[in-house]
């Protein structure tokens, strides 16, 4: 992690690149078509149309035996459809300036399309063909499997990715999130073509879908398209299992030895989810203040690390994060924990608070300069954050945070940290790493 991961650009980065969106966009509309909820934001100032279908469920639907199957299916769906063989499919994408892609996260997967108004008809056709009628040719399935397996294996060669996997395993042990939605070698090797077909039928049920469209699209046109494409889908026959809260327990540390120039450290703590607006907004500001202080104390003043961060994630069962790479992790962590305790013990002044809120709001809006990123943000809030309407309210909540609320959430949440360390075990003081 070479740059800070922020709310408006982390979870929202599920999308494809897009042209700048209108500064003054029309109001968001919520509708239902074909039995599924649709969120439409009309933007007339550019010709880009961003379409994102959220498939709810994520890791909660997976088991160690099929880890990665969502990602596998959505990747393989782009290898040919009943109407378009693979080569024709990709030729039409190129000819129309249409891009189709997918991403998988812990709480949902997204099947996304981006096109321009001139190619709207054909872009929609290509997207719906891939979504509803993939042929999953055996040879292409095996090619996709090998690509995904290679990507999974390469994560252990990337220290940042590897320490992230260790962190998730430690913090979410016994929780559905312990199953990696991006896949494991075991899961990807076990998935058969028949299993992909069965999974396709299971995932395309009305209750689990949310469609978000941002661009110059008429409501009546979209309603007709969605009704025709999605109207015949089945409804779920049984209710979805609720996602339990993570219960990581007392502070812990897991150290994996690896000879590296520096040590990679990630510390998780249980955090409020996005739908707990008041606490989430306050902790967002607190992490912004902490980030600034960590940069000053760890990097600028003491030159202990080039990369240090405090982060708040966006999962339904959520975590906050302290992160650093350091040659001397014990020395560095002492400084970081001292800054955490300072925020817990002292009330910040109004100027510090206003600056932190302003920085966050600027970054938040800067990350929403494309139609696709706006679609991702609306979908994220609808699926995880209590409703798409909260997306704009969230900025007001951040601006309304008080110094007392910052201190309260720091005390309430930033404790019992679970640290994962990749590097030299001899440089890890376990008592220090489990002291908060």
């Amino acid at each position: 992690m070479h740059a800070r991961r922020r709310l408006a650009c982390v979870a929202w980065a599920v999308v494809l690149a897009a042209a700048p969106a209108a500064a003054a966009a029309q109001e968001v509309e919520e509708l239902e078509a074909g039995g599924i909820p649709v969120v439409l934001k009309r933007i007339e100032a550019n010709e880009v149309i961003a379409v994102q279908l959220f498939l709810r469920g994520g890791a909660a639907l997976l088991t160690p035996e099929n880890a990665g199957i969502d990602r596998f299916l959505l990747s393989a769906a782009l290898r040919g459809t009943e109407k378009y063989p693979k080569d024709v499919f990709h030729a039409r994408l190129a000819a129309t300036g249409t891009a189709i892609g997918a991403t998988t996260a812990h709480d949902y997967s997204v099947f996304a399309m981006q096109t321009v108004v001139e190619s709207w008809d054909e872009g929609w056709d290509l997207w719906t063909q891939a979504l509803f009628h993939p042929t999953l040719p055996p040879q292409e399935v095996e090619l996709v499997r090998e690509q995904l397996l290679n990507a999974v294996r390469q994560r252990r060669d990337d220290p940042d990715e590897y320490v992230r996997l260790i962190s998730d395993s430690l913090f979410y042990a016994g929780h559905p999130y312990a199953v990696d939605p991006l896949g494991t070698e075991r899961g990807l090797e076990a998935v058969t073509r028949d299993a992909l077909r069965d999974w396709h039928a299971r995932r395309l049920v009305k209750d689990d879908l949310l469609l978000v469209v941002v661009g110059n699209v008429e409501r009546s046109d979209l309603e007709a398209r969605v009704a025709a494409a999605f109207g015949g889908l089945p409804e779920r026959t049984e209710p979805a299992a609720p996602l339990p809260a993570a219960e990581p327990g007392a502070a812990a540390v897991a150290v994996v030895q690896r000879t590296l120039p520096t040590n990679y450290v990630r510390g998780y703590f249980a955090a409020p989810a996005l739908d707990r607006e008041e606490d989430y907004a306050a902790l967002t500001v607190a992490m912004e203040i902490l980030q600034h202080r960590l940069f000053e104390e760890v990097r600028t003043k003491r030159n202990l690390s080039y990369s240090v961060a405090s982060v708040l994630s966006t999962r339904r069962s959520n975590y906050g994060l302290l992160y650093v790479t350091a040659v001397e992790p014990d020395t560095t962590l002492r400084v970081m924990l001292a800054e955490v305790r300072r925020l817990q013990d002292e009330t910040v002044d109004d100027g510090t608070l206003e600056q932190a809120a302003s920085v966050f709001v600027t970054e938040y809006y800067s990350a929403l300069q494309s139609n696709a990123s706006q679609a991702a943000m609306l979908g994220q809030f609808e699926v995880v954050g209590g409703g798409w309407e909260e997306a704009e309210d969230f900025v007001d909540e951040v601006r309304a945070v008080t110094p007392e609320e910052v201190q309260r959430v720091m005390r309430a949440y930033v404790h019992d940290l679970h640290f994962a360390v990749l590097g030299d075990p001899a440089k890890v003081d376990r008592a220090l790493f489990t002291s908060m």
Side-chain angles (χ1 to χ4, degrees), residues 151-162:
V152 166
R153 291 165 184 149
Q154 288 171 8
R155 284 187 293 176
R156 289 181 175 267
D157 297 328
D158 181 334
D160 269 317
E161 274 297 296
Y162 193 17

Side-chain angles (χ1 to χ4, degrees), residues 247-274:
E247 297 180 355
V253 58
V255 185
V256 175
Q257 183 172 6
R258 178 172 287 188
T259 303
L260 294 167
T262 188
N263 298 273
Y264 290 77
V265 179
R266 288 173 68 95
Y268 281 15
F269 57 89
L274 189 56

